[in-house]
Amino acid sequence: MSIWYLSRSHAIILAKHLHFTAMSAAKVPKLSDAQRGSDLKKAEDAGWKVQSDRDAIYKEFLFRDFNEAFGFMSRVALKAEKMDHHPEWFNVYNKVNVTLSTHDCGGLSSKDITLAEFIDDAAKLYKA
């Protein structure tokens, strides 16, 4: 058995990390049937497609060029980091494919709906 001795500052950093890890490990619930009927329906009306092979939503975005696509991805990345909820995405030149699903609950959650709304708003900034 090992005994570790930490300085006070290292102990504080470790305690904050453990608290943050415990907080982020809290399970996010899947969308309820009522939420699927309202919130998910709004996402579908905005062009998000429910994937047939898993509980996730998908949308493809097209921009004028790579700079716009990268700018869009940068905006989304900053929001996703703040939410601690990261999209699955793929980019080639002016096209960005986005898939959203919450791994903590194994399907769609309110985090996906919130991020989808933000993503749609971010994409509008690049439309002429």
Side-chain angles (χ1 to χ4, degrees), residues 61-69 91-96:
F61 297 88
L62 293 174
F63 300 93
R64 282 187 286 239
D65 55 28
F66 178 75
N67 284 337
E68 279 194 2
N91 163 244
V92 174
Y93 186 62
N94 69 331
K95 182 168 53 173
V96 180

Side-chain angles (χ1 to χ4, degrees), residues 35-91:
Q35 289 171 311
R36 285 178 183 277
S38 61
D39 299 343
L40 183 56
K41 175 80 171 93
K42 287 180 202 169
E44 288 178 293
D45 290 345
W48 290 88
K49 306 283 187 236
V50 177
Q51 292 191 314
S52 61
D53 60 337
R54 62 188 272 214
D55 195 20
I57 54 176
Y58 168 88
K59 189 170 181 179
E60 182 176 290
F61 297 88
L62 293 174
F63 300 93
R64 282 187 286 239
D65 55 28
F66 178 75
N67 284 337
E68 279 194 2
F70 194 83
F72 163 77
M73 291 178 73
S74 295
R75 284 181 185 273
V76 173
L78 292 171
K79 176 66 171 181
E81 190 65 20
K82 284 182 184 175
M83 291 178 65
D84 192 29
H85 188 60
H86 305 92
E88 298 172 23
W89 53 12
F90 180 75
N91 163 244

Side-chain angles (χ1 to χ4, degrees), residues 4-15:
W4 292 44
Y5 294 97
L6 299 174
S7 69
R8 186 173 194 284
S9 60
H10 284 106
I12 290 170
I13 291 169
L14 180 60

